[in-house]
Amino acid sequence: MSNEAVVSLRNVTKRVGRKTLINNLTFDVPQGEIFGFLGPNGAGKTTTIRMMVGLMSITSGEIIIKGKNIKSEFEQAIRHVGAIVENPEMYKFLSGYRNLIHYARMVPGVTKERIDEIVKLVKLEDRIHDKVKRYSLGMRQRLGVAQALLHRPSLLILDEPTNGLDPAGIRELRDYLRYLTRTEGITVIVSSHLLTEMELMCDRVAILNQGKLVDVKPIEDFIGSNDQAQTYLIEASVDEVMIASIREMAGIQEVQAVPEGLEIVTERNQIPDILFYLTEKGIRIYGVRAVRQSLEDRFLEITGGGQVG
Ligand SMILES: Nc1ncnc2c1ncn2[C@@H]1O[C@H](COP(=O)(O)OP(=O)(O)OP(=O)(O)O)[C@@H](O)[C@H]1O
Ligand SMILES: [Mg+2]
């Protein structure tokens, strides 16, 4: 993976009348990454994407794609982009294949071989000659992705790609996007208001709220890693005296009784000693697990309890 940014936003602002929809966004997305825009309804995800693909003008600031400015070098910049913003336009009475052929006519350099290759890539071989109106939502999504990929973009932008997909469809899309970044070196930007999906899909996320960038972080930073102290739940029946004595142990930052047993805040490498200690005292342990702070908790913390869509 190269460190060169595929997309750079520099102080991007969008105003409509007196309203500031996007306020001074600055961040980079490196090659090969799956990058997420996360934020509640109305945060500005779609607006940012619309500016990135030239569907909306930029009030001030710069968007650079593969070194080309989307404002002043539009043709050269947009060549690198494949996007699905809102619902992709499809002719429902035509087959998926006919739709791709129709689209390919508008894009220079797309051959029949490329269409076949893409159909295989999105795993629609078996159904590509069926009419689109007979497709499931997930199949329509995949056809949309196929269309967006036909001209070999290096950046794929998908606005709310998991909308309307079931959990299996979401997992499939995620695996598929991973596959694309690995095999074709494509960079992917997805937006969502659903935190759990971003957690599963992205390498990094930018949190947007009311048109502002709240934070950009690798996904691990939101969910905590192994060598940091975190909360563990030990399922056992323990009394107050036992809790007080655990509190005295080295490496324990916090202990509290919960209905299932006790919750401790400690580093992972302390767990064996704690379990050994409890077992030695004759306490029966029924389970131990890390209680992850979810992205949702983090999000609420960061945005100061702002509503989550
Ligand atoms: N053309 C426009 N003119 C005026 N205001 C607009 C325009 N387009 C969007 N907005 C406003 O900009 C804000 C951000 O909207 P946007 O669609 O970017 O949010 P979003 O993060 O994509 O939300 P959602 O999760 O609902 O898709 C909203 O308050 C919206 O009403
Ligand atoms: Mg939107």
Side-chain angles (χ1 to χ4, degrees):
M1 193 192 290
S2 107
N3 286 327
E4 190 201 338
V6 170
V7 186
S8 294
L9 273 75
R10 290 283 167 269
N11 308 103
V12 173
T13 294
K14 175 69 187 180
R15 274 188 289 271
V16 175
R18 288 187 167 187
K19 210 171 152 202
T20 303
L21 306 188
I22 297 297
N23 195 345
N24 209 25
L25 284 194
T26 297
F27 58 84
D28 290 336
V29 183
Q31 202 231 313
E33 194 165 86
I34 301 184
F35 188 86
F37 289 168
L38 172 64
N41 293 138
K45 305 178 296 290
T46 301
T47 304
T48 306
I49 289 173
R50 289 175 72 89
M51 287 192 284
M52 291 174 73
V53 299
L55 285 172
M56 196 186 238
S57 66
I58 304 165
T59 306
S60 63
E62 311 289 340
I63 296 178
I64 311 290
I65 298 173
K66 285 277 225 175
K68 305 292 177 196
N69 192 310
I70 197 81
K71 233 191 284 189
S72 56
E73 302 162 286
F74 180 73
E75 295 286 328
Q76 287 138 291
I78 206 70
R79 222 175 28 216
H80 301 291
V81 182
I84 305 181
V85 188
E86 278 120 36
N87 289 327
E89 284 297 316
M90 295 291 171
Y91 296 103
K92 292 201 174 73
F93 53 89
L94 293 180
S95 69
Y97 192 72
R98 280 276 136 215
N99 267 281
L100 292 180
I101 294 271
H102 176 79
Y103 185 78
R105 287 204 189 104
M106 300 185 282
V107 198
V110 176
T111 58
K112 275 212 151 127
E113 287 72 33
R114 176 62 181 167
I115 294 178
D116 292 342
E117 183 181 281
I118 281 295
V119 167
K120 220 178 267 171
L121 196 71
V122 298
K123 303 194 170 73
L124 273 179
E125 304 102 298
D126 294 344
R127 303 292 302 272
I128 199 65
H129 295 290
D130 286 9
K131 289 194 167 78
V132 169
K133 67 178 182 192
R134 306 228 168 85
Y135 282 10
S136 72
L137 200 58
M139 291 165 69
R140 277 177 212 184
Q141 278 282 3
R142 296 214 295 270
L143 187 63
V145 171
Q147 179 177 305
L149 287 175
L150 273 182
H151 65 294
R152 301 178 193 277
S154 40
L155 172 65
L156 180 64
I157 304 178
L158 307 172
D159 191 18
E160 306 264 358
T162 55
N163 253 358
L165 296 187
D166 62 10
I170 293 169
R171 202 170 313 128
E172 201 175 298
L173 177 73
R174 175 191 75 208
D175 292 346
Y176 173 63
L177 293 178
R178 285 244 162 263
Y179 172 77
L180 278 182
T181 57
R182 266 201 324 267
T183 59
E184 310 239 312
I186 283 180
T187 305
V188 182
I189 294 179
V190 289
S191 77
S192 175
H193 58 278
L194 294 172
L195 313 152
T196 44
E197 289 179 7
M198 292 305 238
E199 196 173 340
L200 291 172
M201 230 177 338
C202 301
D203 300 311
R204 279 198 311 152
V205 289
I207 294 184
L208 298 180
N209 200 23
Q210 297 178 353
K212 288 197 200 116
L213 186 67
V214 179
D215 214 342
V216 186
K217 276 193 171 171
I219 206 81
E220 309 89 76
D221 284 15
F222 288 96
I223 54 188
S225 63
N226 272 344
D227 53 355
Q228 277 174 293
Q230 55 177 324
T231 306
Y232 292 89
L233 172 71
I234 299 177
E235 289 173 52
S237 103
V238 280
D239 58 20
E240 279 304 319
V241 179
M242 184 53 71
I243 286 181
S245 75
I246 292 168
R247 191 167 286 130
E248 299 308 312
M249 284 180 76
I252 304 283
Q253 299 180 12
E254 266 177 64
V255 187
Q256 65 166 348
V258 292
E260 300 95 322
L262 65 150
E263 263 184 16
I264 52 172
V265 177
T266 188
E267 283 173 28
R268 183 182 156 84
N269 56 19
Q270 295 289 324
I271 297 290
D273 286 348
I274 294 163
L275 296 184
F276 184 73
Y277 178 79
L278 292 174
T279 315
E280 233 187 0
K281 298 279 175 197
I283 294 185
R284 293 158 70 85
I285 296 161
Y286 296 93
V288 182
R289 62 188 161 86
V291 183
R292 281 195 334 183
Q293 186 187 31
S294 72
L295 201 49
E296 187 140 9
D297 296 339
R298 266 298 275 161
F299 182 80
L300 289 170
E301 208 174 276
I302 292 167
T303 57
Q307 85 2 282
V308 180

